[in-house]
Amino acid sequence: AQSVTQPDIHITVSEGASLELRCNYSYGATPYLFWYVQSPGQGLQLLLKYFSGDTLVQGIKGFEAEFKRSQSSFNLRKPSVHWSDAAEYFCAVGEDDYKLSFGAGTTVTVRA
Amino acid sequence: GAVVSQHPSRVICKSGTSVKIECRSLDFQATTMFWYRQFPKQSLMLMATSNEGSKATYEQGVEKDKFLINHASLTLSTLTVTSAHPEDSSFYICSARDERGADTQYFGPGTRLTVL
């Protein structure tokens, strides 16, 4: 069975500082991995995804994530956060693009 | 990106009544839509896959007679929570598969259901 763990429930970061969100997964085969962002009143928006190839994936809004098979991790990073990055972030794993298992989410607060 | 809407965004109902939630793909056709449920501070759980013109496929542990899914057109799927009880209170999110281009899925903003 596939599962996702996001160890950090809530992270507070200063505007302009770097951000890293952790994600660990459990999956029997080569996984499809995703990061989504959810802002209040809006649907989940895909930030980036990994299927194969280069283990460092670039996404939208300046985010990137690195797949590390040996650590079963897919951590999300951004070098310099903006106040608009305050949101809830979800890591997900799936056997394809659609039937996904999500982590519990990490809430990011950005302080001025 | 493509847009998926849900209606209503919030609903409160009495225990024992049925509630229908709509999921629409606004600018693309979707033969496949998905319904998720999200409990507070927990992850989204896939409930079922909605297939246009055929029966939905339910995930293990999801009661198909409790959560009725109808996908009668290429832009609309509905989830009906029948004989709702307080434990059905949750945040329900749909997504729709866009097979054009990158073939990805887009999520609706969710529906908050509260059963009194």
Side-chain angles (χ1 to χ4, degrees):
Chain A
Q2 57 199 37
S3 66
V4 177
T5 301
Q6 292 180 245
D8 305 304
I9 297 173
H10 191 185
I11 286 180
T12 299
V13 61
S14 298
E15 191 169 17
S18 63
L19 174 68
E20 181 168 15
L21 303 181
R22 295 183 291 165
C23 172
N24 294 99
Y25 68 90
S26 173
Y27 191 72
T30 301
Y32 286 60
L33 293 161
F34 307 80
W35 274 100
Y36 285 87
V37 61
Q38 185 181 37
S39 298
Q42 298 185 23
L44 290 164
Q45 181 182 22
L46 180 65
L47 288 175
L48 47 79
K49 60 184 177 183
Y50 171 79
F51 298 146
S52 64
D54 192 348
T55 56
L56 186 61
V57 182
Q58 301 298 320
I60 63 171
K61 303 185 179 186
F63 285 93
E64 66 176 25
E66 186 171 11
F67 170 60
K68 292 186 177 180
R69 183 186 299 276
S70 62
Q71 298 177 21
S72 297
S73 69
F74 189 57
N75 295 347
L76 181 72
R77 298 192 293 258
K78 184 168 184 176
S80 176
V81 299
H82 186 262
W83 62 267
S84 60
D85 293 323
E88 187 143 19
Y89 292 79
F90 292 92
C91 181
V93 63
E95 60 186 48
D96 55 29
D97 249 326
Y98 308 105
K99 296 188 70 174
L100 306 183
S101 294
F102 286 83
T106 298
T107 301
V108 173
T109 299
V110 180
R111 59 181 174 223
Chain B
V3 179
V4 174
S5 70
Q6 282 185 241
H7 178 80
S9 58
R10 187 181 296 265
V11 59
I12 300 173
C13 70
K14 292 182 179 179
S15 186
T17 61
S18 295
V19 174
K20 180 184 286 187
I21 302 170
E22 295 184 346
C23 177
R24 293 183 186 273
S25 55
L26 298 185
D27 50 359
F28 66 99
Q29 295 183 330
T31 56
T32 307
M33 293 184 176
F34 304 88
W35 286 96
Y36 292 84
R37 182 174 181 176
Q38 184 181 25
F39 292 100
K41 303 302 180 185
Q42 295 187 34
S43 61
L44 284 75
M45 301 296 295
L46 179 64
M47 299 173 65
T49 303
S50 172
N51 305 296
E52 187 270 334
S54 65
K55 291 183 179 180
T57 305
Y58 291 81
E59 296 300 304
Q60 190 172 12
V62 178
E63 300 175 59
K64 61 182 180 182
D65 295 329
K66 173 76 171 174
F67 299 99
L68 299 179
I69 292 173
N70 183 279
H71 194 154
S73 80
L74 288 171
T75 59
L76 173 65
S77 174
T78 60
L79 169 69
T80 301
V81 183
T82 62
S83 186
H85 290 282
E87 57 265 30
D88 298 323
S89 298
S90 191
F91 195 54
Y92 293 88
I93 299 174
C94 74
S95 69
R97 179 178 178 181
D98 183 357
E99 297 179 47
R100 306 168 300 174
D103 193 8
T104 188
Q105 64 178 320
Y106 294 94
F107 286 80
T111 297
R112 173 75 61 193
L113 169 63
T114 302
V115 184
L116 302 177

